[in-house]
Amino acid sequence: MAEGVIRLHGADNVVIALADLPKGAVVEGIALTGPVPRGHKIAARGIARGENVLRYGQIIGQAVEEIAAGAHVHSHNLGMAPHTDDYAIGAECRPLPSLQPLEFMGYHRADGQVGTRNYIGILTSVNCSGSVARFIAEAAEKDPVLNGMPNVDGIVPIVHQTGCGMSGTNEGYQTLMRTLKGYARNANFGGILLVGLGCEVMQVPDLVGQGRLRPDGNFRYMTIQGTGGTRATIAKALEILREMAEVASRVERRPAPVSKLIVGLQCGGSDGYSGITANPALGHASDLLVRMGGTTILSETPEIYGAEHLLTRRAVRPEVGERLIERIRWWEDYTARNDGEMDNNPSPGNKKGGLTTILEKSLGAVAKGGTAPLAAVYKFGEPIDTNGFVYMDSPGYDPCSVTGQIASGATMIVFTTGRGSVSGYKPSPCIKLATNSEMYARMAEDMDINCGDILTEGVSIEAKGEEILARIVEVASGKKTLSEELGFGGAEFVPWQIGAVM
Amino acid sequence: MAEGVIRLHGADNVVIALADLPKGAVVEGIALTGPVPRGHKIAARGIARGENVLRYGQIIGQAVEEIAAGAHVHSHNLGMAPHTDDYAIGAECRPLPSLQPLEFMGYHRADGQVGTRNYIGILTSVNCSGSVARFIAEAAEKDPVLNGMPNVDGIVPIVHQTGCGMSGTNEGYQTLMRTLKGYARNANFGGILLVGLGCEVMQVPDLVGQGRLRPDGNFRYMTIQGTGGTRATIAKALEILREMAEVASRVERRPAPVSKLIVGLQCGGSDGYSGITANPALGHASDLLVRMGGTTILSETPEIYGAEHLLTRRAVRPEVGERLIERIRWWEDYTARNDGEMDNNPSPGNKKGGLTTILEKSLGAVAKGGTAPLAAVYKFGEPIDTNGFVYMDSPGYDPCSVTGQIASGATMIVFTTGRGSVSGYKPSPCIKLATNSEMYARMAEDMDINCGDILTEGVSIEAKGEEILARIVEVASGKKTLSEELGFGGAEFVPWQIGAVM
Ligand SMILES: [Ca+2]
Ligand SMILES: [Ca+2]
Ligand SMILES: [Ca+2]
Ligand SMILES: [Ca+2]
Ligand SMILES: [Ca+2]
């Protein structure tokens, strides 16, 4: 920092210029062999022709010629070997040394999960019951019995735009069903009331199924048509909620190891700083949490496209790597049949900013997943049943990706943002990390942590990662995030809509 | 009715049994030649082999043999000639005699449109500004200045789930842009504040465009990122809203002919009664309104599929018919590329209930569009610039189809329902028509008009159509519908999402 560069990982053989640096400037004890623009890479030592170039501790390509210490590293001397089928599954799976887990104060559930919040959810099968779910929540806010429950964080309507006008069998239907069931089971809910209209494609009996949707049994359901209209549904729902809240409020926060945490990693409104401040800092926090036995979820498949073989190399087992490749092939088909294409190549603007290869660009997003082995790969909203660093397939679209992570079990979200996202995601608290100090200063009431000080104050990525982990533990124990204080989360349940609207 | 049958249109040569009728029962003075199940068709006079069979005054097929008066008409003696390319555009375009228009009390706008409500909308470009739009509306509810505006019906957040994670050029993007612009221009808004996040694909400057989005100029916009976060945006929005409400509140209800009304026709949660009670009654109301110079919109393409050549026959010009055929071809491609197919054939259950041909099934939905000439065909959300009976392409999914109609300019919705839909659609009031008296009795607090009395009380379809028109005029003049009284409309803005979520 003092030298105007940043090293993103101890193993890297390049550092990043934080300002336009002239020829002869001395960085890490080495004089630059030529001028290097801001955001671009500098060889931290001599790199042999064909040697891997490492950024974030990850391969971003190979030197296409001998590179001297202090030289500018970019398209003229850094290339990417063809890798289309070179997935080398597990080749770079290096378990991290374990750490004694920290503790948080959480809500222990019947199935062994531990929640960070204790909400009661009013889940909806279809848009057509969405307004009534909100009316119920509004009535509950004014209900003295419900307001007297000391351990319930609130009654949360979970409203969306789909659930009918769709096939009742295809992939879109299965994805929505997984998403709704996943919310019903999320450990941040102490109880779920499912409200349907009655005639929708996503039938309430199919959602409820044969088994118990929630292990604690604190689950009830009703349809507006079966109950006799809006007012009757609100009245009956209030009675049900009073019983459910009584049960939910018996649970109190008790100590749990952070190995019980499931944290969704996200970025949105990214900027040129995301990949050098907040994302690697979050990656360090992820590594620490994984070393303590916790679980972190990387997602947003369109943004890692082209660098998937770096994740397959971290896979703990062949099936894990193969499952990721299968998801990538699925996405190629999904975009092709929608007259689009997957393309995460650096644009001319990206290249001007210092990003040389598709790997390097995707690694800016992947950096928030740290360096731990890849323990499992899940579909959107599939229940997460493995500790460690895992992947859940999703679009890059923030509210949709977070919705999948919460359906998969995430009890907390940590979200890096450069331009400034202000959303929240009930029932799971969301910690916002600003990538730059300028935006943090402008939007401090929305940003939980400034990672811009990695550049402006010379804070190390490791120290920032520890700060993030400490905040994760505090928030898991009940401290409200800024988006919770502001009341966010009523609009951001966005199931992934796949297929035709009929 | 006294005879246990119903005639759906004066020109029909079949009537419908309202109960299981035995051989020899006398209907319309003719003895049945055999037993006829409830819901099935009876020849009201002798029908020659090859002669058209008419229901709703529309062709549902041809007699495949000589049919005696009083005979059961079904699959054994009613067939459908191949018609794939037999669109016969305009062949049955029969203008209806005009009627002196009734008047309503509406809000006259700068461009000559007349609204039935005077809301101020908080429109959102993306899901990521949805919660803030709601916070603004909540703050506005408590604002004494805004509450002192006598002629403003309320401040309505228009929140959705898309606007980013999408292509910025394709058909899905164009459709969303049309929808948002259409809401901004709807005559039921006296002013629009557009709130974006800042970094979304659906950019606020692109939405605002070069021209004036609203002819009255009562339009403002802002982004959360540009304004400096959540609290700053709420505070600034309140100031803007006070200025906008001052302008909007200057407009008072004044008389206007019903030729200024644009009414969206809808059905949802249909049952076996829809096609014999509420839909033909609404069709009669539509014909009356069209005869007075008004505009009605039929939609829900998957539900008219297979009967589109009956609409092309009503087309006023070749281009109108061709445009409908083009939409049908588009839908075939849309469903095929999403691994589905268009199929509106009667199911075994439909056939058991008395529906013989695909025409007859689709006509149950089309019946709500009456018999007037087809004046124009529009894409989803395209501005309606023609009076008369028009078609706007949409899915059958109720909230999505209504969203398109309102974006196209609908200032009122009339919605038939058999199972009991309880939704509402701000800014446009929605009149609910129950198709059967049993559901009406159960859900009377949600149903504006019972059309079940066509069967249970022998009310004629014509009388019920006049009752519906009278209610349309009352509601247009300010009478609240039941869904407005209950507060519906906050969850039902559902833009049609076409294409991949990225
Ligand atoms: Ca991202
Ligand atoms: Ca992104
Ligand atoms: Ca994202
Ligand atoms: Ca329908
Ligand atoms: Ca419908």
Side-chain angles (χ1 to χ4, degrees):
Chain A
M1 184 52 217
E3 296 178 301
V5 298
I6 185 168
R7 171 181 289 275
L8 297 170
H9 191 272
D12 290 356
N13 51 13
V14 293
V15 294
I16 314 299
L18 296 175
D20 290 344
L21 298 178
K23 177 174 175 174
V26 176
V27 303
E28 300 208 338
I30 301 159
L32 298 194
T33 63
V36 178
R38 172 163 171 263
H40 283 238
K41 293 173 290 299
I42 299 160
R45 58 168 177 77
I47 303 172
R49 179 182 171 142
E51 192 180 340
N52 287 330
V53 174
L54 299 179
R55 178 177 177 157
Y56 310 111
Q58 309 279 350
I59 301 164
I60 59 167
Q62 292 78 35
V64 297
E65 58 183 43
E66 176 93 24
I67 303 178
H72 180 204
V73 178
H74 200 28
S75 311
H76 62 289
N77 56 8
L78 170 61
M80 207 173 95
H83 69 278
T84 312
D85 293 305
D86 182 19
Y87 290 116
I89 294 177
E92 290 167 33
C93 173
R94 303 194 191 90
L96 302 175
S98 60
L99 283 172
Q100 180 67 31
L102 297 169
E103 281 195 339
F104 73 106
M105 298 293 287
Y107 294 100
H108 293 249
R109 306 297 180 194
D111 59 352
Q113 292 192 80
V114 182
T116 66
R117 295 293 179 269
N118 194 34
Y119 285 108
I120 292 177
I122 306 173
L123 193 60
T124 53
S125 51
V126 64
N127 177 262
C128 311
S129 57
S131 278
V132 173
R134 291 229 177 89
F135 298 156
I136 296 168
E138 284 165 17
E141 267 179 29
K142 295 170 200 146
D143 185 88
V145 179
L146 287 166
N147 280 320
M149 300 293 170
N151 296 324
V152 173
D153 285 315
I155 296 189
V156 178
I158 304 290
V159 175
H160 59 102
Q161 304 213 315
T162 177
C164 202
M166 65 194 298
S167 157
T169 54
N170 70 3
E171 186 166 36
Y173 174 85
Q174 300 301 339
T175 303
L176 179 61
M177 172 151 305
R178 268 202 314 275
T179 305
L180 294 171
K181 287 190 172 186
Y183 267 67
R185 291 189 190 110
N186 188 289
N188 286 352
F189 284 121
I192 289 283
L193 170 62
L194 171 62
V195 180
L197 175 60
C199 56
E200 60 269 27
V201 168
M202 180 56 66
Q203 282 284 295
V204 165
D206 295 334
L207 256 170
V208 173
Q210 301 303 313
R212 299 178 95 182
L213 199 47
R214 286 180 57 85
D216 61 6
N218 205 16
F219 173 81
R220 303 278 292 274
Y221 58 93
M222 62 198 301
T223 68
I224 298 165
Q225 289 168 350
T227 311
T230 302
R231 284 193 216 271
T233 302
I234 296 169
K236 187 171 165 198
L238 277 181
E239 283 175 34
I240 293 174
L241 286 174
R242 288 185 201 116
E243 294 169 24
M244 291 181 63
E246 172 72 35
V247 174
S249 191
R250 282 181 211 141
V251 187
E252 286 187 4
R253 287 189 184 273
R254 286 194 291 114
V258 293
S259 56
K260 290 290 186 182
L261 284 180
I262 305 180
V263 177
L265 310 168
Q266 277 290 329
C267 61
S270 298
D271 66 358
Y273 298 101
S274 302
I276 56 177
T277 61
N279 285 7
L282 178 54
H284 188 71
S286 172
D287 280 351
L288 293 172
L289 195 58
V290 167
R291 291 171 66 186
M292 295 177 184
T295 302
T296 60
I297 317 168
L298 186 70
S299 295
E300 305 183 290
T301 308
E303 292 174 23
I304 63 133
Y305 187 71
E308 64 272 16
H309 60 291
L310 297 181
L311 286 169
T312 58
R313 279 159 202 251
R314 290 161 65 181
V316 293
R317 283 188 312 281
E319 317 82 86
V320 172
E322 283 153 13
R323 204 151 183 233
L324 182 64
I325 297 163
E326 186 270 322
R327 286 290 86 202
I328 295 286
R329 293 290 97 81
W330 182 93
W331 267 91
E332 287 168 345
D333 177 62
Y334 173 60
T335 49
R337 70 180 186 255
N338 284 289
D339 303 322
E341 56 172 332
M342 296 291 278
D343 172 18
N344 201 16
N345 282 307
S347 63
N350 289 152
K351 290 208 172 185
K352 205 172 161 200
L355 296 175
T356 310
T357 67
I358 193 172
L359 304 189
E360 188 176 12
K361 183 180 175 189
S362 291
L363 276 171
V366 173
K368 60 192 182 295
T371 59
L374 177 65
V377 171
Y378 298 94
K379 284 190 181 180
F380 186 92
E382 209 176 349
I384 286 175
D385 53 4
T386 311
N387 285 46
F389 168 67
V390 304
Y391 193 85
M392 185 210 75
D393 181 34
S394 84
Y397 184 39
D398 305 326
C400 179
S401 180
V402 172
T403 294
Q405 292 180 328
I406 294 174
S408 279
T411 52
M412 186 176 309
I413 304 296
V414 187
F415 188 126
T416 73
T417 180
R419 302 285 301 279
S421 164
V422 300
S423 37
Y425 306 91
K426 284 179 182 168
S428 296
C430 176
I431 299 172
K432 294 275 168 40
L433 308 183
T435 70
N436 67 85
S437 298
E438 182 278 320
M439 185 274 284
Y440 179 76
R442 229 171 356 101
M443 297 179 67
E445 291 178 322
D446 293 286
M447 296 295 130
D448 294 280
I449 293 178
N450 180 25
C451 296
D453 58 6
I454 290 172
L455 298 186
T456 51
E457 310 288 330
V459 175
S460 75
I461 283 170
E462 292 73 16
K464 188 53 66 173
E466 285 162 22
E467 180 186 345
I468 294 166
L469 180 64
R471 183 67 63 89
I472 288 172
V473 173
E474 281 182 300
V475 169
S477 302
K479 180 186 168 75
K480 283 192 175 178
T481 64
L482 292 176
S483 61
E484 286 181 297
E485 297 275 10
L486 287 164
F488 279 89
E492 293 97 336
F493 177 61
V494 178
W496 187 3
Q497 187 185 300
I498 302 170
V501 182
M502 293 290 287
Chain B
M1 184 54 216
E3 298 178 299
V5 298
I6 186 168
R7 170 182 289 274
L8 296 170
H9 191 270
D12 290 358
N13 52 12
V14 293
V15 294
I16 313 299
L18 296 175
D20 291 344
L21 297 178
K23 178 175 173 174
V26 176
V27 304
E28 302 208 337
I30 301 160
L32 298 193
T33 62
V36 178
R38 173 163 169 263
H40 284 238
K41 293 173 289 298
I42 299 160
R45 59 168 177 77
I47 303 172
R49 179 183 170 143
E51 192 180 341
N52 286 330
V53 174
L54 299 179
R55 177 177 177 157
Y56 311 110
Q58 308 279 350
I59 301 164
I60 60 166
Q62 293 78 33
V64 297
E65 58 184 41
E66 174 94 24
I67 303 176
H72 180 204
V73 178
H74 201 28
S75 311
H76 61 290
N77 56 9
L78 171 60
M80 208 173 94
H83 68 278
T84 313
D85 293 307
D86 183 18
Y87 290 116
I89 295 177
E92 291 167 32
C93 172
R94 301 194 193 90
L96 302 176
S98 59
L99 282 173
Q100 180 65 30
L102 297 169
E103 282 196 339
F104 73 105
M105 297 293 287
Y107 294 100
H108 292 250
R109 305 298 181 193
D111 59 353
Q113 291 191 81
V114 181
T116 67
R117 295 294 180 267
N118 194 35
Y119 286 109
I120 292 175
I122 306 174
L123 193 61
T124 54
S125 50
V126 65
N127 177 263
C128 310
S129 57
S131 278
V132 173
R134 290 227 178 90
F135 298 157
I136 296 167
E138 285 164 17
E141 267 178 30
K142 296 172 200 145
D143 185 87
V145 178
L146 286 166
N147 281 319
M149 299 294 171
N151 297 325
V152 173
D153 285 315
I155 296 188
V156 178
I158 304 290
V159 175
H160 59 103
Q161 303 213 316
T162 177
C164 201
M166 65 194 298
S167 155
T169 54
N170 71 3
E171 187 167 33
Y173 174 85
Q174 299 300 341
T175 303
L176 179 61
M177 171 148 311
R178 267 203 313 275
T179 306
L180 294 171
K181 286 190 173 187
Y183 267 66
R185 289 189 191 112
N186 188 287
N188 286 352
F189 285 121
I192 289 284
L193 170 62
L194 171 62
V195 180
L197 175 60
C199 56
E200 60 270 29
V201 168
M202 180 56 66
Q203 282 285 296
V204 166
D206 295 335
L207 257 170
V208 174
Q210 301 304 313
R212 298 179 97 183
L213 199 45
R214 286 181 57 86
D216 61 6
N218 205 17
F219 173 81
R220 303 280 289 273
Y221 58 92
M222 62 198 300
T223 68
I224 298 165
Q225 289 169 348
T227 311
T230 302
R231 283 192 216 272
T233 301
I234 296 169
K236 187 170 165 197
L238 277 182
E239 283 175 37
I240 293 174
L241 286 174
R242 286 185 203 118
E243 293 169 25
M244 290 180 65
E246 171 72 35
V247 174
S249 191
R250 282 179 212 144
V251 187
E252 287 186 5
R253 287 190 185 272
R254 285 194 291 116
V258 294
S259 55
K260 289 291 186 180
L261 285 180
I262 305 179
V263 177
L265 310 168
Q266 277 289 329
C267 61
S270 299
D271 66 359
Y273 299 101
S274 302
I276 57 176
T277 61
N279 285 7
L282 178 53
H284 188 71
S286 172
D287 281 351
L288 292 173
L289 195 59
V290 168
R291 291 171 65 187
M292 295 177 185
T295 301
T296 60
I297 317 168
L298 186 70
S299 295
E300 306 184 287
T301 309
E303 292 174 23
I304 63 132
Y305 188 70
E308 64 273 14
H309 61 291
L310 296 182
L311 285 169
T312 57
R313 280 160 202 251
R314 290 161 64 181
V316 293
R317 283 189 311 282
E319 317 83 86
V320 171
E322 283 152 14
R323 204 150 184 232
L324 182 63
I325 298 162
E326 186 270 322
R327 286 290 85 202
I328 296 285
R329 294 290 96 82
W330 182 92
W331 268 91
E332 287 169 342
D333 177 64
Y334 173 60
T335 49
R337 70 179 186 253
N338 283 289
D339 303 322
E341 55 171 331
M342 295 291 278
D343 173 16
N344 201 16
N345 282 307
S347 64
N350 289 152
K351 290 207 172 186
K352 206 172 159 200
L355 296 175
T356 310
T357 67
I358 192 171
L359 302 190
E360 189 177 9
K361 183 180 174 189
S362 290
L363 275 171
V366 173
K368 60 190 183 295
T371 59
L374 177 65
V377 172
Y378 297 95
K379 286 190 179 178
F380 186 92
E382 209 176 348
I384 285 175
D385 53 6
T386 310
N387 285 47
F389 169 67
V390 305
Y391 193 86
M392 185 210 75
D393 180 35
S394 83
Y397 183 39
D398 306 326
C400 179
S401 180
V402 173
T403 294
Q405 292 180 329
I406 293 174
S408 280
T411 51
M412 185 175 311
I413 304 295
V414 187
F415 188 124
T416 73
T417 180
R419 303 284 302 279
S421 165
V422 300
S423 37
Y425 305 92
K426 283 179 183 167
S428 296
C430 176
I431 298 172
K432 294 274 169 40
L433 308 183
T435 70
N436 67 86
S437 297
E438 182 278 320
M439 185 274 284
Y440 178 76
R442 230 170 357 98
M443 297 180 67
E445 291 179 322
D446 292 286
M447 297 295 129
D448 295 279
I449 293 178
N450 180 26
C451 295
D453 58 6
I454 291 172
L455 299 186
T456 53
E457 310 289 331
V459 175
S460 73
I461 284 171
E462 291 73 18
K464 188 54 65 171
E466 284 163 23
E467 180 186 345
I468 294 167
L469 180 64
R471 184 68 63 90
I472 287 173
V473 172
E474 281 181 302
V475 169
S477 301
K479 180 185 168 73
K480 284 192 176 179
T481 64
L482 292 176
S483 61
E484 286 182 297
E485 297 276 11
L486 287 163
F488 278 90
E492 293 97 336
F493 176 61
V494 178
W496 187 2
Q497 188 185 301
I498 302 170
V501 182
M502 294 289 289

